[in-house]
Amino acid sequence: MDFSELEAAEGLRWPWNAWPSSRSDAAAIVVPLSVIYTPLMPLPDLPLLPYEPLSCSRCCATLNPYARVDYRSALWICPFCHDKNPFPRSHAGIADHNVPAELFPTHSTVEYLLPNKNPNPFTSPSSVLNSSFSSNTLFTSSTSSLIPLPVSAPPPMAVSAPTPAFVFVVDVCSPEEELRALKNEILHVVANLPENSLVGLVSFGSMVWVHDLGYTECSRVVLFSGDRELSSVKVQKLLGISHQRNPKQATSQPLQKQGFLLPVSECEFNFTTAVEELHNSSTALPGHRPLRATGVAISTSTALLEGCSPNFGGRIMVFTSGPATTGPGMVAETDHRKAIRTQRDIINGNAFLYRKAQNFYQKLAQKLLERSLVFDLFACSLDQVGAAEMRFPIETSGGLLILAESFESEQFKKCLRHIFKHEEADRLDMKFDATIELVTTKEVKICGALGPCLSLRNQNSLASEKEVGQGGTSSWKTSTLTSKTSIGFIFQVGGNLANEPGPVFFVQFKTRYRHGDGSIRLRATTASRRWVDRLRPLDVRTGFDQEAAATIMARVGVSRAEDYHARDVIRWLDKMLIRFTAKFGEYAPEHPSSFRLLPGFSLYPQFMYHLRRSQFIDILNYSPDETAFFRVALNREGVNGSLVMIQPALLRYGFDGPPSPALLDTSSVTPDVILLFDSYFHVVIHYGSKIAQWRKLGFDKDQRNENLWKLLEAAEMDAEELIEGRIPAPRLIRCDQHSSQARFMLARLNPSATQKTRHVDGSEVVFTDDVSLQDFLEHLQSLAVQG
């Protein structure tokens, strides 16, 4: 079974493509019943239907190819709840030769262009959800052309163009050369924004400056104290912004004219002037950190967007080069002798500022999602800035967390410009205000979601009592989605059912979002998978996707790591792997040498071996900020990208043939080859000692050594291809064998030769206490056959 082809057609990746029908059998297969869903994955021949969906009156599932239709009675039977629903009058001519596009077998995913009834909706996530999935009228399309009959909904071009808002929050405690590079990049992206995009500027040091871009007489700012938090209402009052508390009033009354958030066409000159006037304002004493009011700057920017921006979505983009040292969100003291919190401080409960700052940002997350605002953090510093504390609002809003060494780095520039890429000449490729709802058959309960979203906590019969990640609901909210954003959903079988379920079960994903052209769209994906006969429970193995299973287990492991010590999570992963191999391995009891796994399961143990050694679980060699960065990236990436994070890829370039995959093992490191290592976050070009020496002697510039320079060029070109289009942009490292930079690769290789083993002359030796993959698998086999 080609799982990649199924994903390309559905946008779904299932670890198990056949499910056991009882809870006890589901627990026995160890890897949870789950799916990885990419809501806006580009799909071939995706129909865009310019009308509202027809939904079941009982369970709210939309019309789909699995519904049974009674053409004589003009009824359709919902496959989820088996309720009968009448077709509206517009379907009077429905017949087996004239059916709506949703009933086509090839259209398990369709997208609806919904009427934009409320062009300026000031609504909460719960009210958005309740109104977004209601159905009124559906229009049919013929089988020959799939063109809908005349409809009353406005065409896409009739929808008013959106005005996304961007507030640039700049840390003026950054060094002058860093600030200069940052200002150039901000001016570059603003110059390329569509003219109707709203922009604002907030700068901060020990105080917070909100720049009035509409005041032309001189530079004008409103100043806020950086050591105390003000409510959104108070901030808006001080800024002179009308604050509409009643959503109905907000939709009917125009926004008050003000100068803090203006279209680019009206304020580009003033914005450019204000940015150019930003200079380093740090007055830090020797041996002290500058006073940074990062938390107040972010909450003030949120209040600004709450009061000024129509609810078309927006981004709060924070650019900083150090930790917050004053006010709410403070993560470090100014005295350098008092170090910023470490992993061990957090584990031992000695990070006194950590929990307080974390609570501050968790409250901020709810405000952001209520107004569909995205929080992006660009931290360019060799020091930590408090990204671990800010992780929750960044992740739940769908924002980007970028860690780089400098604002002058290509890594930072590439990530910033990627956010503002254009879908068309006058439109940004941004989707805001996304709500995801799941509908399942009664035997399937929803435990929760793992990824960039927040639970809306609307308890119903579909939600399981067991919560994993963002649980206790069947619907979730996030401020933005991209074509690559993936969310993992965990399910549970309803119980040991007295009645046998039907041969198949259904899950429907309904994603409502605001498109870049201003239209409101609903993408509905309906999937069917089969139950496994209780008399043949091992049939579940025929649909096992070991790559998707490793991805889900990585997300579950990361979720557990938020509450448990890393060593406890590693022990849990080991326990789950032993149970898994004992369940699906073939062996004679108490005989490890007889153990073997079928080809569809054989790679899973080594995925788990690399996961337990990865930076997602074994965190003590990484700072809290780095751990937050890695985990945010893992939780939003699809299966292919996640697999590279878990088990890096290694390519070998030698004189004996074309580039070829190499074992992720220290034995692959030899003097006469080039290795290209890809761990998603780092791309390493590793030159063997002989090739490094030839390069230093300039042999590659000699025309007679054509094979050498072609080998060097091939590695460079492939490295650039890996980096192209990847966000967060990986760091490209070129290193020689035995150099210090080689550690980025050696730390992730299987240590088959260590200081404790006998090794063949010439092989790379790694100084580590980790066991090798071979020893790990042998120990796993001996434990699996005991049970």
Side-chain angles (χ1 to χ4, degrees):
M1 187 180 294
D2 192 331
F3 302 113
S4 297
E5 286 187 6
L6 280 175
E7 182 183 21
E10 297 179 324
L12 303 171
R13 197 77 179 260
W14 306 75
W16 301 104
N17 284 271
W19 285 13
S21 57
S22 73
R23 187 170 294 181
S24 57
D25 289 342
I29 63 175
V30 183
V31 176
L33 304 177
S34 53
V35 65
I36 299 167
Y37 175 45
T38 307
L40 300 186
M41 174 179 281
L43 301 176
D45 303 321
L46 176 67
L48 179 60
L49 310 177
Y51 48 79
E52 292 187 83
L54 184 62
S55 299
C56 176
S57 59
R58 183 177 177 184
C59 69
C60 295
T62 64
L63 186 65
N64 58 79
Y66 302 102
R68 287 182 293 155
V69 179
D70 183 344
Y71 295 107
R72 294 184 61 185
S73 304
L75 296 173
W76 63 278
I77 301 173
C78 176
F80 291 87
C81 64
H82 308 295
D83 201 33
K84 294 181 179 180
N85 298 275
F87 284 105
R89 292 181 182 178
S90 56
H91 288 67
I94 189 170
D96 55 2
H97 61 277
N98 184 34
V99 297
E102 300 96 311
L103 291 177
F104 274 68
T106 55
H107 288 170
S108 59
T109 298
V110 296
E111 192 157 297
Y112 298 93
L113 180 62
L114 303 179
N116 198 0
K117 299 175 181 178
N118 185 5
N120 185 22
F122 283 72
T123 51
S124 66
S126 56
S127 61
V128 167
L129 179 69
N130 293 333
S131 63
S132 62
F133 297 120
S134 62
S135 65
N136 295 322
T137 308
L138 185 70
F139 300 90
T140 62
S141 59
S142 67
T143 58
S144 58
S145 62
L146 296 181
I147 298 175
L149 297 175
V151 296
S152 58
M157 60 284 298
V159 179
S160 58
T163 54
F166 306 98
V167 175
F168 297 88
V169 185
V170 180
D171 173 12
V172 293
C173 295
S174 302
E176 196 63 45
E177 61 276 10
E178 289 287 298
L179 201 55
R180 188 181 307 112
L182 172 59
K183 292 190 295 184
N184 288 339
E185 282 306 303
I186 291 176
L187 293 177
H188 173 82
V189 297
V190 170
N192 290 282
L193 283 176
E195 290 189 347
N196 65 339
S197 299
L198 300 173
V199 293
L201 179 64
V202 174
S203 55
F204 69 94
S206 59
M207 310 287 281
V208 176
W209 294 269
V210 182
H211 297 257
D212 189 343
L213 305 176
Y215 195 76
T216 57
E217 303 298 325
C218 63
S219 297
R220 180 176 180 268
V221 298
V222 177
L223 191 62
F224 291 89
S225 173
D227 57 4
R228 61 194 180 98
E229 181 185 6
L230 298 177
S231 67
S232 293
V233 176
K234 185 67 173 177
V235 170
Q236 291 160 0
K237 184 177 179 181
L238 293 173
L239 291 175
I241 301 170
S242 61
H243 180 71
Q244 302 288 0
R245 299 189 63 85
N246 188 336
K248 293 183 179 179
Q249 292 179 357
T251 60
S252 59
Q253 296 183 6
L255 294 170
Q256 177 180 328
K257 182 68 174 178
Q258 43 71 39
F260 302 106
L261 200 68
L262 292 174
V264 173
S265 58
E266 295 182 22
C267 70
E268 187 169 4
F269 177 78
N270 285 353
F271 183 90
T272 302
T273 302
V275 170
E276 289 177 344
E277 288 177 350
L278 295 178
H279 293 286
N280 179 278
S281 62
S282 172
T283 56
L285 298 173
H288 286 71
R289 299 182 180 93
L291 285 171
R292 282 188 179 88
T294 312
V296 174
I298 296 170
S299 62
T300 302
S301 302
T302 305
L304 171 63
L305 284 174
E306 284 179 320
C308 292
S309 172
N311 197 21
F312 288 131
R315 305 187 86 105
I316 297 172
M317 313 185 74
V318 180
F319 305 88
T320 186
S321 59
T325 53
T326 185
M330 172 181 173
V331 298
E333 297 188 37
T334 55
D335 192 341
H336 269 301
R337 290 174 297 181
K338 296 179 180 179
I340 192 171
R341 77 284 179 276
T342 63
Q343 299 281 18
R344 195 169 296 280
D345 291 332
I346 295 173
I347 292 169
N348 296 335
N350 297 326
F352 304 109
L353 298 173
Y354 177 78
R355 295 298 176 193
K356 190 175 180 180
Q358 201 175 46
N359 291 336
F360 167 76
Y361 285 111
Q362 284 178 345
K363 292 177 183 177
L364 182 70
Q366 189 64 42
K367 288 185 178 181
L368 294 172
L369 267 74
E370 284 179 358
R371 295 302 301 271
S372 301
L373 303 177
V374 186
F375 178 18
D376 301 304
L377 177 65
F378 295 87
C380 294
S381 171
L382 296 176
D383 196 4
Q384 296 187 75
V385 303
E389 288 82 350
M390 301 182 204
R391 174 189 165 184
F392 187 74
I394 295 171
E395 184 168 32
T396 55
S397 69
L400 273 183
L401 171 56
I402 303 298
L403 301 186
E405 293 181 356
S406 168
F407 288 119
E408 297 178 316
S409 67
E410 285 300 317
Q411 188 181 10
F412 161 70
K413 295 176 183 178
K414 188 172 183 179
C415 292
L416 180 60
R417 294 182 185 187
H418 173 83
I419 291 179
F420 293 97
K421 68 180 180 180
H422 284 243
E423 189 173 34
E424 292 181 5
D426 59 344
R427 190 167 73 227
L428 296 171
D429 184 17
M430 291 187 187
K431 282 79 174 177
F432 290 106
D433 190 22
T435 311
I436 302 172
E437 183 185 20
L438 265 62
V439 182
T440 65
T441 46
K442 65 179 181 180
E443 300 88 3
V444 177
K445 304 298 180 184
I446 307 165
C447 295
L450 297 169
C453 60
L454 186 66
S455 169
L456 290 179
R457 309 301 301 183
N458 60 335
Q459 283 277 0
N460 57 29
S461 60
L462 299 179
S464 171
E465 294 180 358
K466 177 184 177 182
E467 293 189 22
V468 179
Q470 294 292 325
T473 187
S474 61
S475 53
W476 297 261
K477 176 75 187 285
T478 187
S479 297
T480 188
L481 288 172
T482 71
S483 60
K484 295 183 178 180
T485 304
S486 297
I487 301 174
F489 293 98
I490 310 296
F491 301 97
Q492 186 179 49
V493 178
N496 295 299
L497 306 173
N499 298 322
E500 285 288 335
V504 297
F505 64 92
F506 302 96
V507 180
Q508 187 174 82
F509 304 82
K510 300 191 290 184
T511 304
R512 179 192 184 277
Y513 68 98
R514 184 181 295 278
H515 193 268
D517 62 9
S519 61
I520 305 297
R521 300 191 181 188
L522 172 66
R523 182 179 290 201
T525 298
T526 310
S528 169
R529 292 296 186 271
R530 65 185 180 87
W531 294 111
V532 172
D533 191 335
R534 287 184 179 180
L535 299 177
R536 296 188 299 174
L538 291 182
D539 282 358
V540 72
R541 68 177 58 183
T542 59
F544 181 64
D545 180 352
Q546 51 191 339
E547 296 180 354
T551 302
I552 279 291
M553 289 300 287
R555 293 198 187 197
V556 174
V558 163
S559 178
R560 292 179 67 90
E562 301 298 326
D563 301 316
Y564 300 97
H565 191 280
R567 293 299 167 191
D568 293 330
V569 178
I570 291 174
R571 280 191 286 269
W572 175 80
L573 287 172
D574 290 344
K575 179 182 176 182
M576 295 298 102
L577 182 57
I578 293 168
R579 286 180 52 199
F580 181 87
T581 51
K583 172 73 175 178
F584 295 102
E586 295 181 354
Y587 54 87
E590 307 296 338
H591 288 82
S593 60
S594 67
F595 183 91
R596 74 181 189 93
L597 283 170
L598 295 175
F601 293 79
S602 59
L603 296 178
Y604 182 75
Q606 75 181 48
F607 291 155
M608 293 297 99
Y609 168 78
H610 290 290
L611 172 62
R612 65 196 296 282
R613 298 178 68 233
S614 71
Q615 66 269 44
F616 306 111
I617 307 298
D618 192 5
I619 61 174
L620 290 182
N621 289 326
Y622 301 93
S623 70
D625 279 11
E626 289 175 314
T627 298
F629 169 66
F630 294 138
R631 289 177 175 176
V632 167
L634 176 72
N635 279 342
R636 65 184 297 151
E637 189 61 36
V639 172
N640 293 334
S642 297
L643 208 60
V644 174
M645 297 182 193
I646 297 167
Q647 178 175 296
L650 192 65
L651 281 177
R652 177 185 182 277
Y653 297 78
F655 296 104
D656 54 351
S660 59
L663 288 175
L664 196 66
D665 191 284
T666 53
S667 62
S668 298
V669 182
T670 55
D672 58 347
V673 301
I674 300 174
L675 294 175
L676 179 59
F677 173 83
D678 179 17
S679 66
Y680 194 91
F681 303 105
H682 299 98
V683 174
V684 180
I685 303 177
H686 180 276
Y687 303 102
S689 55
K690 286 184 179 179
I691 291 181
Q693 185 178 13
W694 295 338
R695 195 164 52 92
K696 290 175 183 176
L697 295 173
F699 288 178
D700 56 314
K701 295 179 174 61
D702 191 334
Q703 294 297 325
R704 292 173 295 179
N705 299 320
E706 182 181 0
N707 288 341
L708 177 60
W709 66 259
K710 280 188 175 181
L711 202 66
L712 295 168
E713 185 181 43
E716 289 284 346
M717 290 175 62
D718 288 349
E720 292 297 331
E721 187 176 344
L722 287 174
I723 293 172
E724 186 65 30
R726 183 179 291 178
I727 299 297
R731 179 182 170 191
L732 177 60
I733 300 169
R734 300 175 180 87
C735 64
D736 299 336
Q737 189 176 0
H738 309 306
S739 68
S740 62
Q741 294 284 74
R743 70 185 186 277
F744 288 99
M745 182 183 75
L746 293 178
R748 300 299 302 276
L749 298 183
N750 171 42
S752 58
T754 70
Q755 75 279 7
K756 298 179 181 179
T757 61
R758 294 182 179 180
H759 53 275
V760 180
D761 291 340
S763 62
E764 192 76 9
V765 177
V766 177
F767 292 86
T768 180
D769 291 328
D770 283 352
V771 299
S772 67
L773 175 60
Q774 184 63 32
D775 292 339
F776 177 82
L777 293 178
E778 289 176 358
H779 192 52
L780 174 64
Q781 291 172 9
S782 64
L783 292 172
V785 300
Q786 293 175 8

